[in-house]
Each structure stands twice: as structure tokens, then as C-alpha cells.
Amino acid sequence: MLKLLIVDDETIFRLGIRSCVDWTALGYVVCGEAQNGKEALEKIHVLKPDVVLLDIKMPLMDGIEVLQELQDKTENIYFVVLSCFNEYDYVRKAMKLGAYDYLFKPVMEATDLQRLMSEIRNRIYSRFGEKESEKPEEQLEIQEILKYALFFDLTEQEREKLYKLNSRLPELSCFSYVLSFRKRKKNVHPDTKLHAVCLAIMNQNLGAEQNFLFQAPEENQLVGLCYDESLGHMHYQHYAVEITRAVSYIREHLEMEVYCGVGAICHGAAEWRSSFLQAQTAQESLFFQKDQSVAYYTKQLEVSYDFQEIYRDIFLEIQNNLLERKVQDTAELLDEINEDILKKRMFNKNDYCHFLATVIISFMRKVRNGEILEQMLLKDYNLISNLYYQENIEEAAKELSRLLQYACQKVYGFTNDETQNQIIYKVKEYVNKNYSCRITLNEVAELVHLNKNYFCKIFKKITGESLVNYITRVRVEHATDLLIHTDKKIYEVAMEVGFLDYHHFCKTYKEYTNMTPSDIKKLNK
């Protein structure tokens, strides 16, 4: 798929562009967003997008400055500038600097955007095909066109060219699979040639003559194509077992979190791209199946769900709870929805994340006409879009709970006393169970889904002391108990209650008790 970068200083407009078009159907993936020209330059160098939607007027660095900075450096990137009616001089300057086209934001409609992006896609496809046709090595050319056929729709001319290179291709049955890598363990060297290693593993399991593996446009994905002249249901099941085995091997020996989506069997080059899209859909379904590493495409995964309508009553109850400041009750209702979604296997990640975004946006619209939402988004423009980038359904729900706590803080100042007391109880329980380990403010704030600054205010308000002071006091109390009732040495007690440094323990202990650990030991004798 082609990579699209959206650059605009208005968060709502970026969200609108992301949601008004079915980018997957158009052959694009939104690889990132930027809120000013300076950030855009950084992301262009890192993400290497094929197309950039670039706003002209932005803070720090505007669109014209971006184009000037990149002039003659990015000949393969298509820039579409976004402007208002009174910025035509800027538009003309942008076109001179190499912009492909422009759109007027006040009157821009989804159909205008679709038309232009389709035109750009076709130009890129054409350019891509021309470059690949220049390769002299026949086998390499076959592989490149196979890759091209996965990511783009082949023209009749391109299909005929492919068939001339290998006359068996029109009859071959195949399926596609997508390997996605989420986390790399620290002890895995960053220069590991992931593609080469995975290709060797997949070839060993699937057969080198029947398997191709390509780098996807997304840096963390590899795309495979497995073909067989007589690929039927039994063969497919065999390959499915081998793919599962290969993924397990990669996870174990490369110590990486790898997930795989497998498309259905397709027949002939015309259907290859369909199998690739099915594999992507299957891979996305693992968002709901965090204990699984491989998922296979079924037609049910294509079903779209209006979760706001399906859970209308619960959605209204959530909104009422938020208006009554019952954030904890809202989290429980979200758990109820998640449990039902998993039970009924309503696996559509985009629809689910859109529902979560609707929960917070609907709430914020009911208070002060969305002013506070705009303020929150200005402070952190990824605030809502982060919901779409969580690794699984549980993490997405936690992220929403954190956002709702943050929103209630902004709207009401604090959540209600009952909720605050529940939060403090949960934190104290956690500290008393884990005082012997290292406890950080970040992990405690995440435990109760709160912004850490907001959490500190609540904790100090309810308990009269800071979290650090409370943790230290708990450790000192447990240390006293061990000093009095056991024969353990002082350094052993220090380690057992969470102090890694003996001298720091002794100093802290005296500050809290006006006695040294040795004094307590003597009293015990």
C-alpha cells in the first residue's frame, strides 16, 4: 500500500481526513500525522511517505517553507496542498515549488479527495511498473511484479507481461500472509536482517519454490505469497499448520512479538491483491485475540458493526455516568461491552476504535460546547487518535478510561469523592502488595488510568501526603516489623522492603522514626 502523511495544525480536520475516505480501498495507509511544518519534515525523513497532504498556513513552519526545504530532495513524493480561499498566492507559490495539486479546505468534499488520490495512485503505479520493467533478470522481474500485484491492481497490459515471463502464473492458486512485528526484545541486535531470517524460516516450512516474502510499505510488516499448482483445502490446511509452526519459531528464536494474518485461497493473478487485503484483515483481528499469534481470514471479518447502535442503552448509560462523574462505573460498562464483543466475535478494529472515540467526543460535546475538548487536543493532538494505535482491545479500553479521567479532571476539576476514594484504596492495596519492588509514579498512575499530575493532586488531597512519602512510610513500617520479630540482618531487611542501598535505608529509617535500625534491634534484645 502507498503511505500517506497528513499535515495540518487543526486536529479536527486531520481526524476528518482520516475518517472521510476508505483509505485501504484506495490503496493507501495513513502512516502518520503532523501538526506543523517542522514536525512534518521529521516524519517525512523517517516515514518516507508516497503522498503528503500539506496545509499551507501552520505554526513554526508553514507548508511553503516545507516545500522549499525539500525542493529537489523528494522527487518521488506527491504533495497536495490544502488552503483557504484567501491563500491563492501561497497556492501558486506551492505549485511552482513542485506541489502536484491543491484542494480548498472550506469546500473540499470526500469525493474530491478520492478523485485526486486515485489519480495520484495511478500515476505512482504507472511509474512503478515502468521502473520494474527495466530489470533484466527474468526471475527477479517475476518477483518484483508479484510484489507489485499484491500491493496494486494490475492492468491488463501488466498482467500479460507477467504471464509472458511465466506461463503457469494464470492458473496458479495461492494465498497471501502478513507478518507483523510489534516488539523486539532488548537482547536482539537492531541490525538483525529480519527479512532474510524470516524468509529462510518461511521457506524451510513452506518450500522455497512455493514462497515469496516481501517488505511491506509499513516498516514493521512483511508480506508473503505462497502458491501451488494444485492448492486445495487439504494443501491449505497443511500450509496453515506450517505457518503457525514458523511463527512460533520466529517468536522463540528471534525473541520478537510476531503476529500473522493469512488470506484465503485465490486463483490467478487477478485475485492476488484480494488475498493480501484478506490477510491484513485477518492480522487486524488479532487485536481482539491477544493470546493468539496467527489468524485466518473468514468472511465474518469483513462485517462492519455500528457499536454505538448495538450498545445504544449502555452508550447512553456511559454518557449519564460521565455527566454524574461516575468514571469508575463507566470503566465497568466498557468491560461489559468488550466481553460481549469477544463472545460474539464482532472483530472489526476500526469500528471498535471509532466507537471508543465517539464515547469521549460525545461526552465533551455535552459540556461547554466542546471548548475543553479543543483545549485538550491543542495540548496533545494525538489524544484521541492514540486509541487507534493500541495493541489490543484491553489496552484500547484502558486508554479510553485514562482519557475519560483526564476529561473529567478538565471539566469538573476532580472526579467525585466516591471515585477518588476507590482510586486511593486501589493504590494503597497495590503499594502494600508490592512495597518490596520498585514502584514508580508512572505505573501507579497507569494502574488507575490517570494523568500522573492529576493523580498526585488527588492522592495528596485525600491522604494528606505524597505517593513517595506513603510508599516510604509503608516500607519503614514493614521494616520495623521485621527488625523486631526476626533475626534478619539490617541489610537483609532493607533489601526485603525495597531499599537497594543500605546507607540510604538507615538514613530514611531515622528520618521517619527518630531511631536507627540498630536502636530497634537493641530494643528487641
Side-chain angles (χ1 to χ4, degrees), residues 69 77 117 160 223 286 291 301 340 468 471:
E69 181 71 24
I77 298 180
M117 297 304 288
E160 288 177 4
V223 179
L286 292 170
D291 296 327
L301 295 178
D340 192 60
V468 172
I471 294 172

Side-chain angles (χ1 to χ4, degrees), residues 87-317:
E87 297 170 349
Y88 191 73
D89 288 341
Y90 288 100
V91 171
R92 187 164 51 190
K93 193 170 184 180
M95 299 301 288
K96 288 182 178 180
L97 288 169
Y100 177 75
D101 210 334
Y102 62 91
L103 290 169
F104 285 127
K105 292 167 68 174
V107 295
M108 185 179 74
E109 296 184 359
T111 52
D112 301 322
L113 190 57
Q114 286 176 319
R115 174 195 55 76
L116 181 55
M117 297 304 288
S118 296
E119 179 183 318
I120 293 174
R121 178 200 62 203
N122 293 338
R123 280 181 171 269
I124 294 174
Y125 290 1
S126 175
R127 186 187 70 202
F128 184 93
E130 289 169 7
K131 286 186 177 181
E132 295 308 316
S133 65
E134 295 167 3
K135 294 182 180 294
E137 304 88 347
E138 185 175 295
Q139 184 60 24
L140 182 59
E141 190 168 8
I142 289 176
Q143 290 190 38
E144 291 298 335
I145 298 181
L146 284 173
K147 177 181 177 180
Y148 180 45
L150 281 176
F151 299 148
F152 315 121
D153 291 318
L154 288 177
T155 65
E156 190 63 35
Q157 183 180 4
E158 290 163 340
R159 200 172 294 141
E160 288 177 4
K161 178 184 176 183
L162 182 60
Y163 295 164
K164 285 179 182 178
L165 289 170
N166 190 321
S167 59
R168 294 185 304 141
L169 290 176
E171 290 77 35
L172 285 179
S173 297
C174 67
F175 65 87
S176 182
Y177 59 92
V178 174
L179 296 172
S180 179
F181 303 87
R182 294 184 187 167
K183 291 180 182 177
R184 181 191 294 265
K185 294 291 182 66
K186 291 180 180 178
N187 59 339
V188 177
H189 196 276
D191 291 334
T192 298
K193 301 300 183 182
L194 192 59
H195 177 271
V197 173
C198 289
L199 178 59
I201 293 171
M202 300 307 290
N203 282 348
Q204 182 178 350
N205 285 269
L206 301 177
E209 294 182 0
Q210 285 79 37
N211 182 61
F212 291 100
L213 191 64
F214 309 107
Q215 176 64 53
E218 294 83 355
E219 290 184 7
N220 66 334
Q221 282 190 354
L222 297 174
V223 179
L225 183 70
C226 183
Y227 66 90
D228 195 313
E229 290 184 8
S230 57
L231 181 60
H233 182 66
M234 293 299 293
H235 292 84
Y236 181 75
Q237 284 188 322
H238 162 74
Y239 285 126
V241 171
E242 293 302 325
I243 285 177
T244 302
R245 184 176 295 145
V247 169
S248 297
Y249 186 90
I250 293 171
R251 291 173 72 96
E252 179 181 352
H253 291 275
L254 292 187
E255 297 187 89
M256 299 182 71
E257 288 192 19
V258 57
Y259 300 87
C260 181
V262 184
I265 298 173
C266 64
H267 306 284
E271 297 181 13
W272 290 345
R273 177 161 167 75
S274 296
S275 184
F276 163 59
L277 295 176
Q278 290 169 357
Q280 280 194 317
T281 300
Q283 195 274 328
E284 278 199 352
S285 74
L286 292 170
F287 173 83
F288 299 92
Q289 307 171 82
K290 70 173 187 175
D291 296 327
Q292 301 292 321
S293 57
V294 182
Y296 300 92
Y297 172 81
T298 63
K299 288 185 178 180
Q300 185 181 350
L301 295 178
E302 297 283 2
V303 177
S304 183
Y305 301 98
D306 185 349
F307 289 118
Q308 186 175 345
E309 180 62 28
I310 293 171
Y311 300 107
R312 183 195 301 176
D313 292 341
I314 300 180
F315 179 82
L316 293 174
E317 190 174 350

Side-chain angles (χ1 to χ4, degrees), residues 65-78:
E65 292 173 298
V66 170
L67 291 171
Q68 288 172 333
E69 181 71 24
L70 295 174
Q71 198 170 21
D72 301 326
K73 297 178 183 177
T74 54
E75 59 179 351
N76 293 327
I77 298 180
Y78 284 77

Side-chain angles (χ1 to χ4, degrees), residues 392-423:
N392 56 59
I393 187 173
E394 289 184 6
E395 293 301 318
K398 285 180 182 178
E399 179 66 11
L400 177 63
S401 294
R402 187 188 70 79
L403 287 178
L404 292 174
Q405 292 279 10
Y406 182 41
C408 285
Q409 172 205 354
K410 292 295 183 183
V411 174
Y412 304 121
F414 291 100
T415 51
N416 64 11
D417 290 340
E418 182 181 357
T419 302
Q420 291 177 35
N421 288 329
Q422 290 173 348
I423 290 170

Side-chain angles (χ1 to χ4, degrees), residues 26-38:
L26 274 180
Y28 290 89
V29 58
V30 179
C31 66
E33 299 177 6
Q35 62 178 339
N36 58 62
K38 186 177 180 181

